[in-house]
Amino acid sequence: QVQLVESGGGLVQPGGSLRLSCAASGRWFRINYMGWYRQAPGKQRELVARITSGGSTYYADSVKGRFTISRDNAKNTVYLQMNSLKAEDTAEYYCKTDITYGSMNYDYWGQGTQVTVSS
């Protein structure tokens, strides 16, 4: 079993910044990747950014150049630095991890943290 604890959401004005954190705890052989998804009201959950154990990153086109994902392997924590925030970034943000335990891969989700961009 793996637990993901997110923090860092809140209310910010357009153009502002926020930093989300997600700490993983539990048992695994390997964390394959950690990532951030978001879901706005009435919309499907979408991938925002993802980082592999080797440090490779992926960003959705809508956040490229504004968001940066990073990872502290020693702390099993992933961060999402969000700059130049826009109203359309408003959503519930979820952390997700894919781990290997035994011979199987498993996905786990965090509980979500709300990001609201509004003046």
Side-chain angles (χ1 to χ4, degrees):
Q1 188 72 16
V2 173
Q3 293 78 42
L4 299 175
V5 178
E6 301 141 333
S7 60
L11 173 64
V12 63
Q13 293 185 343
S17 298
L18 281 175
R19 188 194 194 206
L20 306 182
S21 300
C22 173
S25 62
R27 300 182 66 181
W28 55 78
F29 172 70
R30 180 180 60 245
I31 295 178
N32 299 311
Y33 70 81
M34 297 185 77
W36 290 95
Y37 289 69
R38 66 186 181 187
Q39 187 168 19
K43 295 188 177 181
Q44 288 189 329
R45 190 172 296 189
E46 63 175 356
L47 174 62
V48 176
R50 186 172 65 189
I51 186 167
T52 68
S53 58
S56 297
T57 58
Y58 166 86
Y59 294 95
D61 288 342
S62 59
V63 306
K64 282 181 181 177
R66 299 188 299 121
F67 291 11
T68 301
I69 190 169
S70 61
R71 181 172 167 176
D72 185 332
N73 290 331
K75 296 182 179 179
N76 297 316
T77 299
V78 64
Y79 305 97
L80 186 67
Q81 178 66 44
M82 304 185 294
N83 299 329
S84 302
L85 283 161
K86 305 175 182 180
E88 50 263 44
D89 295 316
T90 295
E92 188 81 7
Y93 283 71
Y94 297 90
C95 178
K96 179 184 177 183
T97 188
D98 179 277
I99 64 106
T100 298
Y101 187 78
S103 60
M104 301 286 289
N105 287 356
Y106 300 89
D107 289 342
Y108 293 92
W109 291 88
Q111 79 285 356
T113 185
Q114 178 67 37
V115 171
T116 302
V117 184
S118 175
S119 55

